[in-house]
Amino acid sequence: MGNNGSARASAKPSGGSSRKKPSGGVGRRALLVGGGAMVAAGAAAVLARDELKRAWWRVPGVEKPRKPGELDYAGATWVAASEANWRRADRPDDFRIDRVIVHVTQGSFDSAVRVFQNPAHRAATHYIVGQDGRVVQMIRELDVAYQAGNRSYNERAVGIEHEGFVDRPKDLTKAMYESSARLTASICARYDIPVDREHIIGHVEVPGTDHTDPGPHWDWDRYLKLVRRAATAPPSPTPSASAPAKAE
């Protein structure tokens, strides 16, 4: 072994290797590795910047102005949901709104309001529509409601609950359909959402959900016709603040 080593050593020119490394230079491998690290760092910076943009309101001294009881829909009454049932956001600036999700409460109007006020429930929708056509707004449209069991859909959708049970067609009243259609038409107009079954969907159609609402008795053809009719009606008054209401 020692002789082989000596032979290899003696074969080298006395002046050392003819392939000199550039003084103070950067090798190709270093460039590749370093370049990859720079790309990764750049991607991480973009993600961090995007996350910061979505969470701008958490920065001390920076918060979007909000008024207690302020409505997005003039036909509603304000009743605040528990803050445990939704997440503060800045939609549609941070998350594009491109869906309306239709739910059925599986209970009464007042019980739905109470449940959404309960922090232990960990779920709520933006609106509830009663069988008599009354509408309550519980979460601002700019915020994310924990409504669908799917984070991406929650971030992109406005949710509407309807008073009743999925197995009782009599619960789906004319007043409810018409009132809900006016509400959905106004949401679609605000966010340029197409009035079709791809963008106005049932909770049952959300990927990963185990819910069946609004159920087999929900008349989608009737509902979309009413939404389109409401969309061509004269515009409603500008939304304004409403005194907080309480569930009966």
Side-chain angles (χ1 to χ4, degrees):
M1 293 291 293
N3 290 338
N4 290 340
S6 299
R8 285 196 296 270
S10 63
K12 294 179 181 179
S14 59
S17 173
S18 61
R19 298 177 63 184
K20 298 181 179 179
K21 294 182 179 180
S23 177
V26 180
R28 180 173 179 272
R29 179 175 177 79
L31 282 172
L32 290 174
V33 174
M38 290 173 65
V39 170
V46 169
L47 289 173
R49 185 172 67 246
D50 183 55
E51 197 63 29
L52 181 61
K53 178 183 176 183
R54 294 179 178 182
W56 64 270
W57 52 267
R58 294 192 181 97
V59 178
V62 179
E63 185 168 337
K64 188 170 183 177
R66 298 175 185 231
K67 297 178 182 178
E70 190 171 18
L71 296 167
D72 295 299
Y73 177 62
T77 300
W78 177 260
V79 180
S82 167
E83 292 185 2
N85 297 329
W86 55 274
R87 173 161 56 87
R88 197 175 180 102
D90 189 32
R91 302 189 312 169
D93 292 337
D94 51 1
F95 301 106
R96 181 169 59 97
I97 297 175
D98 62 4
R99 293 286 189 281
V100 174
I101 300 179
V102 174
H103 305 254
V104 167
T105 60
Q106 290 297 94
S108 71
F109 184 95
D110 293 333
S111 66
V113 171
R114 287 193 296 269
V115 165
F116 291 172
Q117 291 176 316
N118 181 356
H121 187 59
R122 302 296 294 176
T125 56
H126 297 87
Y127 295 96
I128 304 174
V129 180
Q131 292 175 0
D132 58 1
R134 58 178 162 163
V135 180
V136 64
Q137 181 172 3
M138 302 195 70
I139 301 170
R140 290 293 307 277
E141 290 175 10
L142 54 82
D143 293 324
V144 176
Y146 300 152
Q147 57 166 317
N150 181 306
R151 178 171 179 171
S152 176
Y153 276 69
N154 285 348
E155 290 173 343
R156 295 160 46 202
V158 174
I160 306 174
E161 284 279 3
H162 297 81
E163 179 186 13
F165 293 85
V166 297
D167 58 348
R168 294 200 324 208
K170 67 178 184 179
D171 289 350
L172 307 177
T173 66
K174 179 176 184 289
M176 176 189 287
Y177 271 117
E178 292 180 347
S179 178
S180 177
R182 289 191 293 271
L183 170 58
T184 293
S186 72
I187 294 168
C188 291
R190 275 193 290 284
Y191 305 108
D192 197 24
I193 301 172
V195 179
D196 57 35
R197 285 289 284 114
E198 181 181 350
H199 298 87
I200 302 174
I201 66 173
H203 192 178
V204 66
E205 297 169 276
V206 175
T209 186
D210 60 355
H211 286 243
T212 62
D213 56 312
H217 302 297
W218 184 266
D219 191 336
W220 283 107
D221 289 338
R222 175 186 181 185
Y223 188 62
L224 290 181
K225 285 179 182 177
L226 289 170
V227 174
R228 293 187 183 106
R229 183 185 303 168
T232 61
S236 300
T238 303
S240 58
S242 172
K246 296 182 179 179
E248 296 177 0

